[in-house]
Coordinates of all heavy atoms in Angstrom, one line a residue:
M1 N 31.5 78.3 39.1 CA 31.9 76.9 39.5 C 32.9 76.9 40.6 O 33.8 77.8 40.6 CB 32.4 76.2 38.3 CG 31.4 75.9 37.2 SD 30.3 74.6 37.7 CE 31.0 73.2 36.9
K2 N 32.8 75.9 41.4 CA 33.8 75.8 42.5 C 34.5 74.4 42.3 O 33.9 73.5 41.7 CB 33.1 75.8 43.8 CG 32.6 77.2 44.2 CD 31.6 77.1 45.3 CE 31.2 78.4 45.9 NZ 31.9 78.7 47.1
A3 N 35.6 74.2 42.9 CA 36.4 73.0 42.8 C 36.6 72.4 44.1 O 37.0 73.1 45.1 CB 37.7 73.2 42.0
C4 N 36.4 71.1 44.2 CA 36.7 70.3 45.5 C 38.2 70.4 45.8 O 39.0 70.1 44.9 CB 36.3 68.9 45.3 SG 36.7 67.9 46.7
R5 N 38.6 70.7 47.0 CA 40.0 70.7 47.4 C 40.6 69.4 47.4 O 41.9 69.2 47.3 CB 40.1 71.3 48.8 CG 39.7 72.8 48.9 CD 39.8 73.3 50.3 NE 38.9 74.4 50.5 CZ 39.4 75.7 50.4 NH1 40.6 75.9 50.0 NH2 38.6 76.7 50.5
K6 N 39.9 68.3 47.6 CA 40.4 67.0 47.7 C 40.4 66.2 46.3 O 41.5 65.8 45.9 CB 39.6 66.2 48.7 CG 40.3 65.0 49.2 CD 39.4 64.4 50.3 CE 40.0 63.0 50.8 NZ 39.1 62.4 51.8
C7 N 39.2 66.1 45.7 CA 39.2 65.3 44.4 C 39.2 66.2 43.2 O 39.2 65.7 42.1 CB 38.1 64.3 44.5 SG 36.4 65.0 44.6
H8 N 39.1 67.5 43.4 CA 39.2 68.5 42.3 C 38.0 68.5 41.3 O 38.1 69.2 40.3 CB 40.5 68.2 41.5 CG 41.8 68.6 42.2 ND1 43.0 68.9 41.6 CD2 42.0 68.8 43.5 CE1 43.9 69.2 42.5 NE2 43.3 69.2 43.7
I9 N 37.0 67.8 41.6 CA 35.8 67.9 40.7 C 35.2 69.3 40.8 O 35.2 69.9 41.8 CB 34.8 66.8 41.0 CG1 33.9 66.5 39.8 CG2 34.0 67.0 42.3 CD1 33.2 65.2 39.8
L10 N 34.6 69.7 39.7 CA 34.0 71.0 39.6 C 32.5 70.9 39.9 O 31.8 70.0 39.4 CB 34.1 71.7 38.2 CG 35.6 72.1 37.9 CD1 35.7 72.5 36.5 CD2 36.0 73.2 38.8
T11 N 31.9 71.8 40.8 CA 30.6 71.7 41.2 C 30.1 73.1 41.5 O 30.9 74.0 41.7 CB 30.4 70.8 42.4 OG1 29.1 70.8 42.9 CG2 31.4 71.2 43.6
N12 N 28.8 73.3 41.6 CA 28.2 74.6 42.1 C 28.0 74.6 43.6 O 27.7 75.6 44.1 CB 26.8 74.8 41.4 CG 27.0 75.0 39.9 OD1 27.9 75.7 39.5 ND2 26.1 74.5 39.1
R13 N 28.2 73.5 44.2 CA 27.9 73.4 45.7 C 29.1 73.9 46.5 O 30.2 73.9 46.0 CB 27.6 71.9 46.0 CG 26.5 71.4 45.3 CD 26.2 70.0 45.8 NE 25.2 69.3 45.0 CZ 24.6 68.2 45.4 NH1 24.9 67.6 46.5 NH2 23.8 67.6 44.6
S14 N 28.8 74.2 47.8 CA 29.9 74.6 48.7 C 30.6 73.5 49.3 O 31.7 73.6 49.9 CB 29.3 75.6 49.8 OG 28.3 74.9 50.5
T15 N 30.0 72.3 49.2 CA 30.7 71.1 49.6 C 30.7 70.1 48.4 O 29.8 70.1 47.6 CB 30.1 70.4 50.8 OG1 28.8 70.1 50.6 CG2 30.3 71.3 52.0
C16 N 31.7 69.2 48.3 CA 31.8 68.3 47.2 C 30.7 67.2 47.3 O 30.5 66.6 48.4 CB 33.2 67.6 47.3 SG 33.4 66.3 46.1
P17 N 30.0 66.9 46.2 CA 28.9 65.9 46.3 C 29.4 64.5 46.4 O 28.7 63.6 46.7 CB 28.2 66.1 44.9 CG 29.1 66.8 44.1 CD 30.0 67.6 44.9
Y18 N 30.7 64.3 46.1 CA 31.3 63.0 46.2 C 32.0 62.7 47.5 O 31.8 61.6 48.0 CB 32.3 62.8 45.0 CG 31.5 62.8 43.7 CD1 31.6 64.0 42.9 CD2 30.7 61.8 43.3 CE1 30.9 64.1 41.7 CE2 30.0 61.9 42.1 CZ 30.1 63.0 41.3 OH 29.4 63.1 40.1
C19 N 32.9 63.6 47.9 CA 33.7 63.3 49.1 C 33.4 64.1 50.3 O 33.9 63.9 51.4 CB 35.2 63.3 48.7 SG 35.8 65.0 48.5
G20 N 32.5 65.2 50.1 CA 32.1 66.0 51.2 C 33.1 67.1 51.7 O 32.8 67.8 52.6
E21 N 34.2 67.2 51.0 CA 35.2 68.2 51.3 C 34.7 69.6 50.9 O 33.8 69.7 50.0 CB 36.5 67.9 50.5 CG 37.7 68.6 50.9 CD 38.3 68.0 52.2 OE1 37.9 66.9 52.7 OE2 39.1 68.7 52.8
S22 N 35.2 70.6 51.5 CA 34.7 72.0 51.1 C 35.3 72.3 49.7 O 36.4 71.9 49.4 CB 35.1 73.0 52.1 OG 36.5 73.1 52.3
T23 N 34.6 73.1 49.0 CA 35.0 73.5 47.6 C 35.6 74.9 47.7 O 35.4 75.7 48.6 CB 33.9 73.4 46.6 OG1 32.8 74.2 47.1 CG2 33.4 72.0 46.4
S24 N 36.4 75.3 46.6 CA 37.1 76.5 46.6 C 36.8 77.3 45.3 O 36.7 76.6 44.2 CB 38.6 76.3 46.7 OG 39.3 77.4 46.4
D25 N 36.7 78.6 45.3 CA 36.6 79.4 44.1 C 37.9 79.6 43.4 O 38.0 80.1 42.3 CB 36.0 80.8 44.5 CG 34.5 80.7 44.8 OD1 33.8 80.1 44.0 OD2 34.1 81.3 45.8
N26 N 39.0 79.3 44.2 CA 40.3 79.6 43.7 C 40.9 78.4 43.0 O 41.7 77.6 43.6 CB 41.1 80.0 44.9 CG 42.4 80.8 44.5 OD1 42.7 80.9 43.3 ND2 43.0 81.4 45.5
W27 N 40.6 78.2 41.8 CA 41.2 77.1 41.0 C 41.6 77.5 39.6 O 41.1 78.6 39.1 CB 40.2 75.9 41.0 CG 38.8 76.3 40.4 CD1 37.8 76.8 41.1 CD2 38.4 76.2 39.0 NE1 36.7 77.0 40.2 CE2 37.1 76.7 38.9 CE3 39.0 75.8 37.8 CZ2 36.4 76.7 37.7 CZ3 38.3 75.8 36.6 CH2 37.0 76.3 36.6
Q28 N 42.4 76.7 38.9 CA 42.8 77.1 37.6 C 42.8 75.9 36.7 O 43.2 74.8 37.1 CB 44.3 77.5 37.7 CG 44.5 78.9 38.3 CD 45.9 79.3 38.3 OE1 46.8 78.5 38.5 NE2 46.2 80.6 38.1
G29 N 42.4 76.1 35.4 CA 42.4 75.1 34.4 C 41.4 74.0 34.7 O 41.0 73.8 35.8
Y30 N 41.0 73.3 33.6 CA 40.2 72.1 33.9 C 40.3 71.0 32.9 O 40.9 71.2 31.8 CB 38.7 72.5 34.1 CG 37.9 72.9 32.9 CD1 37.3 72.0 32.1 CD2 37.9 74.3 32.6 CE1 36.6 72.4 30.9 CE2 37.2 74.7 31.4 CZ 36.5 73.7 30.6 OH 35.8 74.1 29.5
L31 N 39.9 69.9 33.3 CA 40.1 68.6 32.5 C 38.8 68.0 32.5 O 38.1 67.9 33.5 CB 41.1 67.8 33.3 CG 41.3 66.3 32.9 CD1 42.1 66.3 31.6 CD2 42.1 65.6 34.0
I32 N 38.3 67.5 31.3 CA 37.1 66.8 31.2 C 37.4 65.3 31.1 O 38.1 64.9 30.2 CB 36.3 67.3 30.0 CG1 35.9 68.8 30.1 CG2 35.0 66.5 29.8 CD1 35.3 69.4 28.9
V33 N 36.8 64.6 32.0 CA 37.0 63.1 31.9 C 35.7 62.5 31.5 O 34.7 62.6 32.2 CB 37.4 62.6 33.3 CG1 37.5 61.1 33.3 CG2 38.8 63.2 33.7
I34 N 35.7 61.8 30.4 CA 34.5 61.1 29.9 C 34.5 59.7 30.3 O 33.5 59.2 30.8 CB 34.4 61.2 28.4 CG1 34.3 62.7 28.0 CG2 33.2 60.4 27.8 CD1 34.6 63.0 26.5
D35 N 35.6 59.0 30.2 CA 35.7 57.6 30.5 C 36.9 57.4 31.4 O 38.0 57.1 30.9 CB 35.7 56.7 29.3 CG 35.7 55.3 29.6 OD1 35.7 54.9 30.8 OD2 35.6 54.5 28.6
P36 N 36.8 57.5 32.7 CA 37.9 57.4 33.6 C 38.7 56.1 33.5 O 39.9 56.0 33.8 CB 37.3 57.6 35.0 CG 35.9 57.8 34.9 CD 35.5 57.7 33.4
N37 N 38.0 55.0 33.1 CA 38.6 53.7 33.1 C 39.5 53.5 31.9 O 40.4 52.7 31.8 CB 37.6 52.6 33.0 CG 36.8 52.5 34.3 OD1 37.3 52.7 35.4 ND2 35.5 52.3 34.2
N38 N 39.3 54.4 30.9 CA 40.2 54.3 29.7 C 41.0 55.6 29.4 O 41.3 55.9 28.3 CB 39.3 54.0 28.5 CG 38.8 52.6 28.4 OD1 39.7 51.7 28.5 ND2 37.6 52.4 28.4
S39 N 41.2 56.3 30.5 CA 42.0 57.6 30.4 C 43.2 57.5 31.3 O 43.1 57.3 32.5 CB 41.1 58.8 30.8 OG 42.0 59.9 31.0
K40 N 44.4 57.6 30.6 CA 45.6 57.6 31.4 C 45.8 58.8 32.3 O 46.4 58.7 33.4 CB 46.8 57.5 30.5 CG 46.9 56.1 29.9 CD 48.2 55.9 29.0 CE 48.2 54.5 28.5 NZ 49.3 54.4 27.5
I41 N 45.3 59.9 31.8 CA 45.4 61.1 32.6 C 44.5 61.0 33.9 O 44.9 61.3 35.0 CB 44.9 62.4 31.8 CG1 45.7 62.6 30.6 CG2 44.9 63.6 32.7 CD1 45.2 63.5 29.6
A42 N 43.3 60.4 33.7 CA 42.4 60.2 34.8 C 43.0 59.2 35.8 O 42.9 59.4 37.0 CB 41.1 59.7 34.3
E43 N 43.6 58.2 35.3 CA 44.2 57.2 36.1 C 45.4 57.7 37.0 O 45.5 57.5 38.2 CB 44.8 56.0 35.2 CG 45.1 54.8 36.0 CD 45.7 53.7 35.1 OE1 45.3 53.6 33.9 OE2 46.6 53.0 35.6
K44 N 46.2 58.6 36.3 CA 47.3 59.2 37.0 C 46.9 60.2 38.1 O 47.5 60.3 39.1 CB 48.1 60.0 35.9 CG 49.5 60.2 36.2 CD 50.2 60.8 35.0 CE 51.7 61.2 35.3 NZ 52.3 61.8 34.2
A45 N 45.8 60.9 37.8 CA 45.2 61.8 38.8 C 44.3 61.2 39.8 O 43.9 61.9 40.7 CB 44.5 63.0 38.0
G46 N 44.1 59.9 39.6 CA 43.2 59.2 40.6 C 41.7 59.5 40.5 O 41.0 59.5 41.4
L47 N 41.3 59.9 39.3 CA 39.9 60.3 39.1 C 39.1 59.1 38.7 O 39.4 58.3 37.8 CB 39.8 61.3 37.9 CG 40.8 62.5 38.0 CD1 40.7 63.4 36.8 CD2 40.5 63.3 39.3
K48 N 38.0 58.9 39.4 CA 37.2 57.7 39.2 C 35.8 58.0 38.6 O 35.2 57.0 38.1 CB 37.0 57.0 40.6 CG 38.3 56.3 41.0 CD 38.2 55.9 42.4 CE 39.6 55.4 42.8 NZ 39.9 55.6 44.3
M49 N 35.3 59.2 38.6 CA 34.0 59.5 38.1 C 34.2 60.4 36.8 O 35.1 61.2 36.8 CB 33.2 60.3 39.1 CG 32.7 59.6 40.3 SD 33.9 59.6 41.6 CE 34.2 61.3 41.9
P50 N 33.3 60.2 35.8 CA 33.3 61.1 34.7 C 32.9 62.5 35.2 O 32.1 62.6 36.1 CB 32.3 60.5 33.7 CG 31.8 59.3 34.3 CD 32.3 59.2 35.7
G51 N 33.5 63.5 34.6 CA 33.1 64.9 35.0 C 34.1 65.9 34.6 O 35.1 65.6 33.9
K52 N 34.0 67.1 35.1 CA 35.0 68.2 34.9 C 35.8 68.3 36.2 O 35.2 68.4 37.3 CB 34.3 69.5 34.6 CG 33.7 69.6 33.2 CD 33.2 71.0 33.1 CE 32.6 71.2 31.7 NZ 32.1 72.6 31.6
Y53 N 37.1 68.4 36.0 CA 38.0 68.5 37.2 C 38.9 69.7 37.0 O 39.4 70.0 35.9 CB 38.9 67.3 37.3 CG 38.1 66.0 37.6 CD1 37.5 65.3 36.6 CD2 37.9 65.6 38.9 CE1 36.8 64.1 36.9 CE2 37.2 64.5 39.3 CZ 36.7 63.7 38.2 OH 36.0 62.6 38.6
A54 N 39.1 70.4 38.1 CA 40.1 71.5 38.1 C 41.5 70.9 38.1 O 41.8 69.9 38.8 CB 39.9 72.4 39.3
L55 N 42.4 71.6 37.4 CA 43.8 71.1 37.5 C 44.6 71.5 38.7 O 45.3 70.8 39.3 CB 44.6 71.6 36.2 CG 44.1 71.0 34.9 CD1 44.9 71.6 33.7 CD2 44.2 69.5 34.8
K56 N 44.3 72.8 39.1 CA 44.9 73.3 40.3 C 43.9 73.9 41.2 O 43.0 74.7 40.8 CB 45.9 74.4 40.0 CG 47.2 73.9 39.4 CD 48.2 75.1 39.3 CE 49.5 74.6 38.6 NZ 50.4 75.7 38.4
V57 N 43.9 73.5 42.5 CA 42.9 74.1 43.5 C 43.7 74.6 44.7 O 44.6 73.9 45.2 CB 41.9 73.0 44.0 CG1 40.9 73.7 44.9 CG2 41.2 72.3 42.8
R58 N 43.4 75.8 45.1 CA 44.1 76.3 46.3 C 43.1 76.3 47.5 O 41.9 76.5 47.3 CB 44.6 77.7 46.1 CG 45.8 77.7 45.2 CD 46.3 79.1 45.0 NE 47.2 79.2 43.9 CZ 47.7 80.3 43.4 NH1 47.3 81.5 44.0 NH2 48.5 80.3 42.4
Ligands
ZN101 ZN1 35.7 65.9 46.4

């Protein structure tokens, strides 16, 4: 899995399917967002889509 450098979503692609930013293999930790509208963590991190997100991306 790779992580988007901008929105931190995890994907198998070399570019992010949501924002088009390049993805990185160098990431740590992850967060699963099921319902972004009802998650304070997601709101704080600016996450709008359900999915898996990396906590740190380099
Ligand atoms: Zn992205």
Side-chain angles (χ1 to χ4, degrees):
M1 290 289 259
K2 290 164 171 258
C4 174
R5 291 175 202 271
K6 196 173 174 187
C7 63
H8 290 199
I9 200 159
L10 292 172
T11 176
N12 291 320
R13 301 186 191 190
S14 58
T15 55
C16 176
Y18 297 104
C19 71
E21 197 74 13
S22 62
T23 55
S24 170
D25 285 315
N26 200 350
W27 56 272
Q28 290 182 324
Y30 71 89
L31 170 72
I32 297 171
V33 176
I34 296 163
D35 185 354
N37 295 321
N38 286 305
S39 166
K40 286 186 180 172
I41 301 167
E43 195 185 324
K44 206 173 174 183
L47 309 176
K48 286 165 188 153
M49 291 87 56
K52 282 188 184 178
Y53 294 87
L55 295 178
K56 285 185 183 176
V57 184
R58 284 184 197 171

